[in-house]
Amino acid sequence: MYFYDGRSYGDFFNMGEYSRMGYEPVRKKISIFDTTLRDGEQTPGVSFSMQEKYEIAMKLNNAGVNIIEAGFPAVSIDEFKTVKHINYDIENTCSLARCNKNDIDRVIESNSRIIHLFIATSDIHMQYKLKMSRDQVFDKIIESVEYAKSHGLKVIFSPEDATRSDMDFMKKIITSIDVETVNFPDTIGIMNPMSMYYFIKKIKEFTDKKISVHCHNDFGMATANTLAGIMAGAEEAQVTINGIGERAGNASLEEVVSSIYGFSDSYTDIKMEKLYDLSRYVSSASGIIPQKNKAITGENAFSHEAGIHVQGIINNPKTYEAINPEIFGARRKIVIGKHSGKAAVKYILENKGIYKTDDEINNILTIIKNENNKTIDDEYLLQVVKNE
Ligand code: KIV
Ligand code: ZN
């Protein structure tokens, strides 16, 4: 398999014989719908400025994202203006709206071409939040889809809290509307990969509409559930950069895209080498720094400290790396600390043009190891070398 720029999949992914087993292999393009600017901004405490939103939208567009959810225009005047500003320069955007005329009008006025309409369909949401009956919700959906379409909008429809909604009710809705895509949100993140697979398969029994999945991370399953949805037949994934979003967040774009390549025969339009920079930008604009051990974009994702690992990495990075970080525009790091061996010290020094004998390296290592529990940065290492 090759990436869009002709680079070979095998040069970057070091998977094993069993990595792709247990599912029916299908080769298809998975569309990536990014909602960093909408669900991502719903992360408690996060608010992007207009300039930051515009910058993120541009970066998402340059990274090959298929649909960018620019925002929720009915939320505020500023949000409306920002969405309009983004829509002016970027074509493949979409805006969120509840199933009511006012929200839909804001989307139309913001010059969006695609509307993401949503309304809750689970009994618990209808009873306690919407205070509406199933029939009332159904009528709202029909009315709203018709209204949006009559204004030339393409429609993505989400039955909110889909994974707790009655399947027959969803069937009635989905088979009654003519929309581009139906997106199934696991709104409170209560699925696991097996149940998600089953859920999407069930939906595919009664529709051949394009299916998208939107998974939250309350049990830490968002990426796995998104992948399971794709393996069951979904053709689009709703994701955010760094997995930011409500509560424990959404499925992360960088993890989902990597998993599509790592575990399936499918592919995306994403330019993987843009992802590291995108992650760093979103992290600084949102103030949400990915946890150090987060896959792909965490600071430690491509760092190696233990002596045995470093020796392996120096001989052949495929020994301890599932994915070559260069594919994301990132670099591997050899870190010196309590678990380091001679190879790491030698490697770092030689990369700086400093050549030492084995005895000298041993002495340096002894000093470092006495620095119990600390990660030794380059500056400190050079100080030790100087003193030695
Ligand atoms: O999680 C959710 O249900 C949502 C919908 C608005 C799609 O974000
Ligand atoms: Zn969501």
Side-chain angles (χ1 to χ4, degrees), residues 36-214:
T36 305
L37 297 176
R38 199 277 300 167
D39 216 332
E41 205 194 26
Q42 287 174 220
T43 307
V46 171
S47 171
F48 297 120
S49 68
M50 186 194 270
Q51 195 46 42
E52 285 165 343
K53 280 200 161 192
Y54 183 82
E55 196 64 36
I56 292 171
M58 278 295 178
K59 283 180 184 284
L60 290 169
N61 196 36
N62 291 337
V65 166
N66 302 89
I67 302 181
I68 299 164
E69 190 160 53
F72 190 172
V75 154
S76 70
I77 299 283
D78 276 356
E79 176 82 351
F80 170 80
K81 285 188 188 156
T82 307
V83 171
K84 196 165 177 176
H85 180 46
I86 293 172
N87 283 340
Y88 189 78
D89 285 331
I90 303 178
E91 250 186 48
N92 52 328
T93 53
C94 140
S95 303
L96 188 72
R98 286 163 294 192
C99 285
N100 67 58
K101 188 171 172 303
N102 178 63
D103 276 24
I104 302 170
D105 284 341
R106 295 291 84 73
V107 171
I108 297 165
E109 288 157 18
S110 72
N111 298 331
S112 301
R113 288 152 282 258
I114 309 177
I115 189 168
H116 178 189
L117 274 175
F118 79 100
I119 191 166
T121 50
S122 64
D123 289 335
I124 187 163
H125 275 228
M126 290 187 289
Q127 184 181 349
Y128 292 102
K129 183 182 74 175
L130 300 176
K131 301 191 189 318
M132 286 165 80
S133 66
R134 283 192 187 181
D135 284 350
Q136 286 171 317
V137 166
F138 180 80
D139 290 346
K140 267 267 168 235
I141 296 169
I142 300 295
E143 204 180 281
S144 304
V145 169
E146 284 314 312
Y147 184 68
K149 286 184 65 178
S150 70
H151 285 82
L153 291 168
K154 287 187 178 168
V155 179
I156 297 172
F157 174 71
S158 286
E160 189 191 8
D161 205 17
T163 52
R164 290 193 300 172
S165 299
D166 178 75
M167 194 53 92
D168 287 334
F169 182 44
M170 283 199 295
K171 177 176 175 182
K172 179 175 164 192
I173 296 167
I174 289 149
T175 52
S176 306
I177 53 177
D178 179 19
V179 295
E180 286 285 304
T181 307
V182 186
N183 172 58
F184 292 90
D186 182 22
T187 302
I188 62 161
I190 41 91
M191 297 301 264
N192 68 61
M194 300 228 198
S195 57
M196 193 67 190
Y197 185 87
Y198 175 84
F199 179 79
I200 296 298
K201 282 277 184 207
K202 266 265 161 267
I203 284 157
K204 284 194 74 73
E205 281 173 15
F206 60 77
T207 183
D208 52 14
K209 290 191 170 73
K210 181 171 170 186
I211 292 174
S212 171
V213 285
H214 173 117

Side-chain angles (χ1 to χ4, degrees), residues 35 38-39 42 185-187 214-216 238 245-247 249-250:
T35 180
R38 199 277 300 167
D39 216 332
Q42 287 174 220
D186 182 22
T187 302
H214 173 117
C215 299
H216 278 274
Q238 294 203 352
E246 286 276 2
R247 306 178 309 280
N250 290 59

Side-chain angles (χ1 to χ4, degrees), residues 1-3 7-15 318 324:
M1 194 194 299
Y2 292 91
F3 293 108
R7 293 186 300 172
S8 153
Y9 159 91
D11 289 346
F12 295 97
F13 286 80
N14 309 315
M15 311 304 282
K318 293 191 175 197
N324 181 338

